[in-house]
Amino acid sequence: MSIGEMLAATVPMARTLNLEFLETTPEKAVVALPDQSEYHNHVGGPHAGAMFTLGETASGSVVLAAFGEQLARAVPLAVSAEIAYRKLAMGVVTATAVLGRPAADVVAELDAGGRPEFPVTIEIRRGDGAVTGEMTVVWTLRPNG
């Protein structure tokens, strides 16, 4: 099962919004929100909440790709999130999430008994390439037990 399939199966909002998982690596994830009128706002573009969910889901995808081998001993949790809406989003929008700290450093901190935190930065773009939103989600790996 791919990370996208796993998230669609286990995260109801990803399934509800029909998010499309285009690319997932330990460094980057790309997720698209199709143009769906039932999730439009008052000006005909994707609702801010749908865009936030898109960005958060993209960030979770890269976290799972980077730290999936750690799931037996730690659970990834979002600590905080910040989003800035830059331009009017219309049509399909795509979020690209990039891990903001080397995965090896995060794992080393976990190995040393810490609860590492690390940022994931996200750009949300519309079809013409314009950045419609910028987001940062800070994640942690909380040790089990």
Side-chain angles (χ1 to χ4, degrees):
M1 183 180 288
S2 72
I3 288 174
E5 290 167 337
M6 182 177 70
L7 283 172
T10 60
V11 179
M13 280 303 294
R15 197 171 49 251
T16 297
L17 291 176
N18 301 305
L19 298 180
E20 298 171 358
F21 297 84
L22 306 177
E23 178 184 347
T24 306
T25 71
E27 294 82 29
K28 179 175 89 170
V30 181
V31 180
L33 172 65
D35 186 19
Q36 302 165 91
S37 62
E38 60 269 32
Y39 303 115
H40 282 179
N41 58 22
H42 61 289
V43 292
H47 187 277
M51 288 178 57
F52 182 94
T53 300
L54 169 67
E56 194 276 341
T57 301
S59 76
S61 297
V62 74
V63 167
L64 285 175
F67 303 109
E69 294 178 358
Q70 308 305 319
L71 294 180
R73 66 180 181 140
V75 62
L77 296 170
V79 174
S80 64
E82 186 175 297
I83 191 166
Y85 301 100
R86 301 289 184 209
K87 290 186 183 231
L88 182 62
M90 297 297 278
V92 175
V93 289
T94 303
T96 301
V98 178
L99 193 63
R101 188 172 164 203
D105 292 354
V106 174
V107 172
E109 189 175 336
L110 185 64
D111 289 343
R115 182 176 169 170
E117 290 189 3
F118 52 94
V120 175
T121 58
I122 304 102
E123 280 191 342
I124 301 171
R125 295 181 180 270
R126 60 186 185 209
D128 67 2
V131 175
T132 62
E134 296 172 319
M135 187 172 180
T136 300
V137 179
V138 176
W139 288 83
T140 188
L141 295 180
R142 185 192 74 197
N144 295 336

